Amino acid sequence: MTQTTNDEPVVELEHVNYEYATKNAVVHAIKDIDLTIYQGEFVCLVGPSGCGKSTLLKTIAGYLEPTSGESRMENEPIKGPHWKRGVVFQSPTLYPWLNVRQNIEYGPRTRKKSKKEIKETSDYYLDQIELSDFAGHYPFELSGGMKQRVSLARVLANKPKLVLMDEPFSALDAITRVKMQDFLRILWKRNKQTILLITHDIEEALSLGTKVVVMTKNPGKIQSIFSVPYSEKILSDETYHIEEDSEFMKQKYTILKEIS
Ligand code: ADP
Ligand code: MG
């Protein structure tokens, strides 16, 4: 795959394997993964359940050390979790005893940022997630979509170099899900964020990503990588409707055939 911009690689994986050793067997969860994520890319990783998507995300996050192969971020080997790699999971991870603002401020506060910077950061992200009016609310007072927005803001408040998202919208109802997708697309663009998002939904991958990575299972490996224009089209043209785009439908079908 040729990269058309001069952007820097954020993450580089070379021949990465991960095997889970269980009592009775060794599960080769991901096999020989080569992947480069460049600055500003929105990479969507799609594949059937059990193909190793979460395992791959955890090796990039630094939660799992590859059994073999190399994983680097900004030319440094990935060793353990780091705030530069923010992770958003399927279910929102918020502290129930902290309100929305305090949840967002948690990271910068732990990293001993100045009071002024902490306040500016939480103001900015409260505005970005359109929850300024809910700053004093507690997680139990929020809807699922709102909670997931706070989880995202909490991660972004650390100003991570890379945001890793593992099926972040799959627990949401269909309407909220589409709203969250629109929302994330705008946040990605506005903040020039680099994102890796995992999904088992091909349409979600095609409509959000600048690049779609297709994985297949047994063992989990990368089948193909596509650069796709749909997210940019949605952002730049209000009259564009992805579901009327025959290229999109064709590509969706191609990927479906690859993974099924
Ligand atoms: P996905 O996120 O694509 O559904 P996972 O990365 O969760 O896939 O899992 C990939 C493979 O590794 C599956 O076969 C799964 O059963 C196996 N696996 C995942 N976690 C563990 C674990 N902790 N111990 C043993 N096997 C695991
Ligand atoms: Mg998973």
Side-chain angles (χ1 to χ4, degrees):
M1 170 115 320
T2 45
Q3 183 68 19
T4 49
T5 66
N6 297 320
D7 289 332
E8 292 289 312
V10 175
V11 166
E12 292 166 288
L13 304 180
E14 281 173 26
H15 306 302
V16 166
N17 288 272
Y18 190 86
E19 293 169 3
Y20 292 99
T22 63
K23 237 189 204 162
N24 308 315
V26 172
V27 180
H28 202 154
I30 51 172
K31 186 177 161 77
D32 207 21
I33 301 288
D34 285 321
L35 181 67
T36 305
I37 301 174
Y38 293 90
Q39 172 63 42
E41 275 192 316
F42 192 155
V43 179
C44 287
L45 187 66
V46 69
S49 181
C51 73
K53 301 184 293 300
S54 294
T55 303
L56 181 54
L57 182 132
K58 286 174 195 165
T59 61
I60 297 174
Y63 299 159
L64 298 175
E65 191 185 331
T67 313
S68 65
E70 279 192 51
S71 56
R72 289 186 300 275
M73 177 157 170
E74 298 181 300
N75 293 317
E76 298 280 328
I78 294 174
K79 288 202 166 114
H82 195 285
W83 62 263
K84 280 187 174 182
R85 297 180 287 273
V87 186
V88 179
F89 295 100
Q90 183 178 332
S91 36
T93 41
L94 298 174
Y95 292 125
W97 61 90
L98 298 180
N99 66 27
V100 168
R101 182 186 291 281
Q102 290 162 338
N103 265 287
I104 296 173
E105 291 182 347
Y106 186 85
R109 212 178 277 284
T110 326
R111 292 184 19 248
K112 306 260 189 303
K113 297 289 168 191
S114 71
K115 263 195 179 148
K116 182 166 171 278
E117 189 180 342
I118 291 172
K119 173 77 166 46
E120 280 168 4
T121 303
S122 60
D123 280 345
Y124 178 76
Y125 285 107
L126 279 165
D127 181 49
Q128 296 285 294
I129 59 166
E130 295 168 11
L131 286 179
S132 298
D133 292 344
F134 289 81
H137 284 58
Y138 285 83
F140 76 89
E141 299 175 285
L142 306 176
S143 70
M146 286 165 144
K147 275 191 256 193
Q148 198 54 305
R149 264 142 66 198
V150 181
S151 291
L152 181 58
R154 212 175 110 97
V155 163
L156 294 177
N158 283 321
K159 310 221 164 72
K161 191 80 189 169
L162 174 70
V163 177
L164 299 163
M165 307 181 85
D166 195 349
E167 308 213 14
F169 309 140
S170 38
L172 303 173
D173 65 83
I175 293 167
T176 309
R177 184 175 182 148
V178 171
K179 279 194 194 148
M180 289 295 290
Q181 291 168 350
D182 289 342
F183 189 79
L184 182 61
R185 198 182 286 112
I186 291 168
L187 268 186
W188 160 72
K189 192 73 182 175
R190 201 186 281 153
N191 297 300
K192 299 187 170 62
Q193 194 71 59
T194 310
I195 300 180
L196 173 69
L197 179 143
I198 285 179
T199 178
H200 55 252
D201 180 340
I202 301 170
E203 286 196 19
E204 180 167 272
L206 286 171
S207 80
L208 284 178
T210 52
K211 198 191 244 180
V212 173
V213 176
V214 183
M215 283 182 75
T216 50
K217 65 183 197 180
N218 296 325
K221 56 182 177 44
I222 294 179
Q223 178 72 25
S224 51
I225 300 180
F226 302 91
S227 286
V228 289
Y230 313 106
S231 196
E232 294 279 8
K233 282 189 185 177
I234 294 168
L235 282 167
S236 62
D237 180 1
E238 273 181 28
T239 63
Y240 174 75
H241 294 294
I242 193 169
E243 63 279 8
E244 293 166 1
D245 187 335
S246 58
E247 271 309 307
F248 164 75
M249 297 308 284
K250 248 197 266 174
Q251 205 150 24
K252 181 184 157 187
Y253 185 65
T254 308
I255 295 174
L256 191 61
K257 273 197 299 191
E258 277 187 16
I259 65 179
S260 49

